[in-house]
Amino acid sequence: MERGHEFTINVPGEGTHVIKLLDGVELEQIDGATVGRWAAFALEAKGDSEAEVYRELLGGLQKRISGGPGSPEYGPFAAYVLEHGTRLSDEEVAARELARLREITMRWRVTDDEQYMV
């Protein structure tokens, strides 16, 4: 995962927003390891690479908000998304979903000699 990855998040009652969540992560090298601090969510992770740190931080955030929109931990996350994200129109949401679905490739064998891809 890269810092510039865009996440599409549906905030109940507020619509769908696109946000680069990882923009707020501060990285530094300490004793050959990468340390990431995510001040907005009071999370910290250590790993061998930036990608590993980002995965750890996202995992920590996911655990924290796993209670869903009704949980107290979800409120600060939703507020962060609303403040830093960009709201998408229904058309933009549909276009992004269609683009995502078009990237999915399926292959299956019809006979030993033939193979089809959709």
Side-chain angles (χ1 to χ4, degrees):
M1 179 120 349
E2 297 177 3
R3 180 184 292 265
H5 180 81
E6 288 187 339
F7 293 85
T8 304
I9 300 168
N10 184 0
V11 179
E14 300 291 341
T16 301
H17 292 72
V18 65
I19 184 171
K20 293 181 181 179
L21 272 176
L22 298 171
D23 270 351
V25 175
E26 296 173 8
L27 295 173
E28 66 179 306
Q29 295 292 323
I30 300 176
D31 297 328
T34 303
V35 177
R37 290 180 185 83
W38 206 351
F41 303 109
L43 292 170
E44 187 173 313
K46 184 177 182 180
D48 294 330
S49 67
E50 287 183 17
E52 185 178 338
V53 169
Y54 290 148
R55 278 193 302 276
E56 290 285 327
L57 290 171
L58 286 171
L61 178 62
Q62 195 170 23
K63 285 179 188 175
R64 185 173 288 176
I65 63 172
S66 65
S71 69
E73 295 85 9
Y74 191 85
F77 170 72
Y80 184 84
V81 170
L82 293 175
E83 183 179 339
H84 298 297
T86 302
R87 185 178 178 145
L88 299 174
S89 68
D90 291 341
E91 293 81 17
E92 291 170 320
V93 172
R96 283 176 177 261
E97 183 63 16
L98 181 59
R100 187 186 67 78
L101 290 173
R102 284 187 173 151
E103 291 177 3
I104 297 173
T105 304
M106 293 178 59
R107 295 177 186 256
W108 70 92
R109 292 194 183 279
V110 177
T111 66
D112 288 339
D113 299 344
E114 293 179 294
Q115 187 180 85
Y116 290 90
M117 182 174 75
V118 175

